[in-house]
Amino acid sequence: MTRRPHRTHLPEERPESTAPLPPPELTEAECRRCGTYIAGLDGRYACGVCGWVNDHSEGHRRLPRADEDPDRPPKGRRRPKQLPWPAPWPPPGPAEGPPYPC
């Protein structure tokens, strides 16, 4: 697999804006891999048939920053801590016979 070249990320000056972002535009195209007719938002596509995804930089507008996301959790709220191991399955319990009478 060939790695994509990465651009250096330079800090950009972004004026703080309180104006809401315009709603995304529904766009349509053919999958570049299998030719399936697909739809996406603002020129960003993912094919559900073959799994092809175009690069995010090919979109028609910039992606919103995290602080512009209306669904972002309030500041100070964190995700619950995940356990470092998977939960045991089946859950431990008393050893019993069959769950139904024979």
Side-chain angles (χ1 to χ4, degrees):
M1 179 172 2
T2 307
R3 296 183 136 220
R4 290 186 185 148
H6 293 290
R7 295 182 214 146
T8 58
H9 296 286
L10 300 174
E12 299 174 10
E13 288 188 30
R14 295 182 178 151
E16 294 302 320
S17 172
T18 58
L21 292 173
E25 177 187 352
L26 184 63
T27 54
E28 301 165 341
E30 282 188 12
C31 172
R32 294 183 197 160
R33 186 183 294 164
C34 69
T36 302
Y37 186 72
I38 55 178
L41 295 176
D42 293 331
R44 293 176 178 93
Y45 303 104
C47 180
V49 176
C50 70
W52 172 81
V53 177
N54 72 331
D55 191 60
H56 72 279
S57 64
E58 295 177 33
H60 300 160
R61 339 178 198 187
R62 72 171 180 83
L63 291 170
R65 297 183 316 230
D67 59 344
E68 297 171 327
D69 184 1
D71 298 327
R72 184 178 184 190
K75 201 168 195 166
R77 183 174 169 204
R78 297 183 352 199
R79 290 181 179 217
K81 192 171 186 176
Q82 298 292 319
L83 297 174
W85 59 86
W89 187 255
E96 297 180 9
Y100 51 87
C102 295

